[in-house]
């Protein structure tokens, strides 16, 4: 039986979920939508052909008038913690958009709450659900070219149009690169390497002519617990050749190298996914990718629904407790960029950051 879901938060990205993701996942049945903005809620009724008794101004109202099994949260990150807590206290499983929540303390409290009620709390880290990312993780796990020593990751896009462009709301966001996009890359580092981050040094900056309120470009060096060093650069105002949203990855291994990328578009096609390996002294060769009928957000939602139904999750699902380390790395990178100091990832939520230099 499909998992009955209420979606809360129907802004630009939330309505994209409702129109391009949910209808393609047979494992779920939508029973309600919650959105506090009355004008947006009226548009939802029209665009989704939702009945009036399925549309609510608050999650509280939706919980009271539907028989949902689970809640899909696509609201702004500032509302995540309160919405997750409300859903869990009501006995509902939760799938929440990234970033998980604003602080490590909130994250720990919420995963403890989910454990107490034996509920699934999952973060939709959709970049995990692409064939290239899964294949790269497998090659590293199997040590196809020996241990990984160093990794380079490049993300390049140009989105600096006009500051009044309503179609691109990132201009006014806090940390539009590190919090809104790099969280995906930080999470993929953990998944692909099978290691946990220990410390990070990050610098962020405003390129000339930027329409962004906060820095849209950053560079970071990240140390992982088994010795791998990752150098990462991301830029929303790059003048270079654009990369897929997954970034361009180059893994230097003991016996050769692995190059890969994923997510060439907004989860609609597998355009851009590829993995190439080169053994030392030999030409580079492409690696076949697994077939995935669903991928990206669609597979993330399907994985969540199966976890609710069966109680089991795939190895690549990002459950709340496991996602805390990705959130901690993101926050450590932001703290490092703000203070100019190397930041230990494991203590980011437990001590005051050092003063800026």
């Amino acid at each position: 039986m499909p998992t009955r879901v209420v979606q809360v938060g129907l802004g630009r990205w939330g309505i994209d979920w409702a129109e391009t993701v949910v209808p393609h996942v047979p494992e779920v049945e939508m029973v309600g939508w919650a959105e506090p903005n009355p004008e947006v809620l009226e548009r939802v009724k029209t665009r989704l052909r939702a009945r009036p008794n399925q549309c609510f101004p608050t999650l509280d109202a939706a919980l009271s008038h539907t028989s949902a099994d689970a809640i899909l949260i696509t609201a702004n990150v500032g509302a995540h913690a309160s919405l997750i807590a409300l859903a869990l206290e009501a006995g509902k499983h939760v799938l929440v958009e990234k970033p998980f929540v604003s602080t490590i303390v909130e994250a720990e409290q919420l995963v403890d709450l989910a454990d107490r009620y034996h509920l699934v709390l999952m973060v939709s880290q959709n970049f995990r659900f692409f064939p290239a990312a899964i294949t790269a993780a497998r090659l590293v796990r199997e040590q196809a070219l020996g241990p990984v020593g160093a990794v380079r990751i490049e993300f390049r896009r140009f989105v600096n149009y006009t500051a009044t462009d309503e179609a691109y709301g990132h201009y006014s966001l806090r940390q539009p690169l590190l919090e809104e996009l790099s969280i995906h890359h930080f999470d993929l580092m953990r998944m692909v390497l099978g290691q946990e981050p220990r410390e990070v040094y990050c610098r962020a900056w405003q390129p000339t002519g930027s329409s962004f309120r906060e820095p849209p470009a950053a560079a970071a060096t990240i140390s992982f617990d088994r010795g791998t060093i990752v150098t990462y650069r991301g830029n929303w105002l790059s003048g270079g050749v654009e990369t897929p949203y997954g970034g361009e990855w180059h893994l230097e291994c003991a016996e050769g190298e692995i190059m890969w990328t994923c997510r060439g578009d907004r989860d609609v096609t597998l355009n851009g996914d590829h993995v190439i390996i080169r053994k030392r002294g030999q030409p580079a060769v492409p690696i076949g990718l697994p077939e995935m009928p669903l991928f990206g957000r669609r597979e993330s939602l399907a994985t969540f629904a199966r976890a609710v139904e069966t109680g089991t999750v795939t190895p690549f699902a990002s459950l709340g407790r496991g996602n805390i380390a990705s959130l901690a790395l993101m926050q450590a990178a932001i703290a490092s960029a703000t203070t100019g100091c190397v930041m230990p990832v494991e203590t980011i939520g437990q001590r005051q950051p050092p003063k800026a230099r």
Side-chain angles (χ1 to χ4, degrees):
M1 185 175 73
T3 298
R4 296 164 297 183
V5 175
V6 165
Q7 181 181 354
V8 56
L10 289 149
R12 182 181 62 88
W13 195 234
I15 199 69
D16 188 84
W17 266 87
E19 291 183 326
T20 68
V21 178
V22 174
H24 297 274
V25 181
E27 291 90 343
V28 303
E29 174 191 353
M30 296 305 298
V31 296
W33 293 268
E35 166 57 49
N37 186 321
E39 293 181 2
V40 173
L41 198 58
E42 282 301 315
R43 288 201 298 269
V44 166
K45 293 177 184 177
T46 301
R47 292 176 63 168
L48 302 182
R49 298 178 181 176
R51 298 190 303 273
N53 65 354
Q54 293 178 308
C55 298
F56 306 94
T58 66
L59 177 56
D60 250 332
L63 291 170
S64 298
H65 293 89
T66 65
S67 55
D69 304 306
I71 308 301
L72 167 62
I73 298 174
T74 53
N76 292 332
V77 65
H80 284 187
S82 60
L83 291 171
I84 294 169
L86 180 60
L88 293 174
E89 291 284 6
K92 311 302 180 183
H93 305 277
V94 175
L95 176 64
V96 60
E97 254 283 8
K98 61 77 204 168
F100 180 7
V101 285
S102 298
T103 70
I104 301 300
V105 171
E106 289 173 326
E108 291 175 341
Q109 291 172 343
L110 291 169
V111 297
D112 287 344
L113 189 62
D115 288 348
R116 185 187 314 159
Y117 292 123
H118 306 289
L119 295 167
V120 177
L121 171 55
M122 178 174 156
V123 182
S124 182
Q125 296 281 181
N126 54 302
F127 285 34
R128 288 176 170 238
F129 295 100
F130 280 83
I134 291 171
T135 299
R138 176 182 62 80
L139 292 171
V140 171
R141 183 177 66 251
E142 295 173 354
Q143 294 201 6
L145 295 176
V148 179
V151 180
R152 299 194 310 273
I153 304 168
E154 290 268 354
F155 169 79
R156 299 182 299 273
R157 286 267 161 169
F158 183 85
V159 294
N160 196 56
Y161 303 113
T162 67
T164 58
D165 185 355
E166 293 182 0
Y168 197 79
H170 283 52
Y171 298 125
S172 61
L173 292 178
R174 174 181 180 268
Q175 297 294 339
L177 178 76
L178 294 174
E179 183 170 280
E180 289 301 312
L181 183 77
S182 299
I183 180 64
H184 287 296
H185 301 140
F186 295 148
D187 185 68
L188 280 178
M189 292 174 198
R190 297 179 52 242
M191 171 185 142
V192 171
L193 294 177
Q195 299 181 41
E196 296 298 347
R198 286 295 170 253
E199 63 179 26
V200 56
Y201 176 65
C202 182
R203 297 302 298 265
W205 67 92
Q206 281 277 15
T208 302
S210 171
S211 295
F212 287 81
R213 186 181 68 188
E214 296 204 19
T221 300
I222 305 162
S223 303
F224 281 77
D225 60 359
R226 294 207 294 275
T228 299
I229 302 296
V230 175
T231 55
Y232 171 78
R233 291 197 303 177
N235 193 345
W236 277 123
L237 271 72
S238 175
V241 176
E242 289 191 341
T243 68
Y245 280 91
E248 292 177 343
W249 293 61
H250 183 278
L251 286 69
E252 295 183 13
C253 307
E255 300 166 18
E257 56 188 351
I258 302 170
M259 291 82 69
W260 70 277
T261 189
C262 72
R263 199 176 184 270
D265 54 30
R266 295 197 169 203
D267 294 2
V268 178
T269 72
L270 291 176
N271 177 40
D273 266 49
H274 69 262
V275 178
I276 298 170
I277 67 170
R278 186 190 64 80
K279 294 184 178 180
R280 189 187 301 109
Q282 299 183 19
V285 295
I287 297 295
L289 303 180
E291 293 186 7
M292 295 184 65
L294 295 179
F295 48 86
R297 286 177 291 161
R298 294 174 184 176
E299 180 56 29
S300 177
L301 180 57
T303 294
F304 169 71
R306 289 192 292 268
V308 170
E309 182 68 21
T310 68
T312 60
V313 294
T314 67
F316 297 116
S318 185
L319 295 178
R321 191 170 299 281
N323 191 253
I324 289 177
S326 297
L327 179 65
L329 174 53
M330 179 198 81
Q331 293 189 339
I334 292 172
S336 177
T338 302
T339 65
C341 299
V342 175
M343 295 300 294
V345 175
E346 69 275 14
T347 61
I348 187 63
Q350 302 168 16
R351 68 180 181 90
Q352 293 296 316
K355 295 181 181 179
R357 293 190 299 199

